Amino acid sequence: MEHGLVRQDLYTAVKIETLFANEFGEEQRLGQGTGFFVRRADEVPCLVTNRHVLDVTRQGIFNKDSIFLKQHVLAAARVWIFGSRGDDFPVARPYDLLVDQSPVRVGENPANDVVAVIDPKFKICDGGPEQIDLTEIFAEAFLADEKFFQTRLEICDFVAFPGYPAVHDTLAGRPIVRVGTISSDPACNYHWGDQVTGDCVAYEAFSSGGSSGSPVIAMQKGSGGVSLI
């Protein structure tokens, strides 16, 4: 794409709130993160976020040190989606993700903290089923591929990530965008500690709780464009 970041890109982010429960159905805690929608080439929409935001595998792979996971495995019992197109005020009504009707996919590499909800089904929280219409949506062609990481992304390139950290516009329910720079070699996977951390590139930016799952957008440079990484 031959343009830089525009206002609509901010509203690609949606806020996700997840009610976690143990295997006995006992409610444990409420989690919060960010997600975004991608429309596949076959026109099927997908909700994408970090895997730990939903913990849908019921395997307790992430957050192993959580006090709730020391005795019980947590799973997403209920998921709410909030979003804005920028013109609705006050905050848009939340949508209830129908978890049992929304297939979830994870990648082949279990170390990748990414999950996609395929063709997610929602209902408006204070009414019956309704088509979700909360946010902008990325086309699949917008996604960065391996060639992009190998040949176009460089260290110190600027990236932006719209999301719902604690300091987002809570009154109007609008996301904010933060920026950073690529700090590891994008042609190689970045690891920290003494373990493999999946397909990962490090970027230097200020983040806080609620930002997990935000789309990371490579900013335009020269004759290039913007790609979701």
Side-chain angles (χ1 to χ4, degrees):
M1 288 190 162
E2 300 298 328
H3 62 77
L5 205 65
V6 295
R7 177 175 178 268
Q8 289 81 359
D9 292 326
L10 174 64
Y11 295 104
T12 56
V14 294
K15 182 179 178 180
I16 300 176
E17 290 187 354
T18 308
L19 179 64
F20 289 99
N22 62 23
E23 65 266 40
F24 305 111
E26 298 169 336
E27 297 178 359
Q28 300 292 314
R29 66 179 177 86
L30 187 68
Q32 181 177 314
T34 298
F36 58 95
F37 287 93
V38 173
R39 189 176 302 281
R40 297 191 321 197
D42 59 4
E43 297 299 313
V44 173
C46 302
L47 172 64
V48 181
T49 186
N50 280 145
R51 187 172 173 179
H52 72 262
V53 172
L54 299 181
D55 199 16
V56 289
T57 61
R58 301 176 183 266
Q59 298 298 316
I61 293 176
F62 294 96
N63 299 326
K64 289 183 178 180
D65 294 330
S66 166
I67 60 173
F68 303 113
L69 285 179
K70 290 182 178 179
Q71 294 181 337
H72 304 295
V73 172
L74 294 185
R78 195 170 182 186
V79 179
W80 295 273
I81 308 295
F82 305 77
S84 172
R85 287 189 177 276
D87 55 0
D88 46 1
F89 185 86
V91 61
R93 294 175 296 178
Y95 284 77
D96 203 341
L97 176 66
L98 303 177
V99 178
D100 294 338
Q101 300 179 32
S102 305
V104 176
R105 298 288 183 271
V106 295
E108 295 180 358
N109 187 344
N112 289 340
D113 187 9
V114 179
V115 67
V117 183
I118 311 300
D119 196 13
K121 300 295 188 293
F122 299 91
K123 69 176 180 180
I124 197 85
C125 285
D126 56 359
E130 184 174 321
Q131 178 66 32
I132 191 168
D133 186 28
L134 292 177
T135 183
E136 302 293 327
I137 187 167
F138 291 111
E140 183 178 1
F142 199 73
L143 301 180
D145 56 15
E146 184 176 355
K147 182 179 179 181
F148 180 89
F149 285 94
Q150 294 290 329
T151 63
R152 294 186 58 187
L153 196 64
E154 299 287 350
I155 58 171
C156 292
D157 277 358
F158 284 101
V159 293
F161 54 108
Y164 284 87
V167 293
H168 74 276
D169 185 346
T170 55
L171 181 62
R174 298 189 181 102
I176 61 172
V177 65
R178 286 173 167 167
V179 296
T181 56
I182 297 295
S183 55
S184 70
D185 183 353
C188 306
N189 286 328
Y190 168 75
H191 309 289
W192 66 91
D194 57 356
Q195 60 183 353
V196 174
T197 50
D199 301 317
C200 183
V201 173
Y203 63 93
E204 186 72 20
F206 180 76
S207 183
S208 61
S211 296
S212 292
S214 296
V216 180
I217 303 172
M219 302 294 290
Q220 184 182 34
K221 58 177 181 177
S223 60
V226 179
S227 290
L228 183 67
I229 63 174

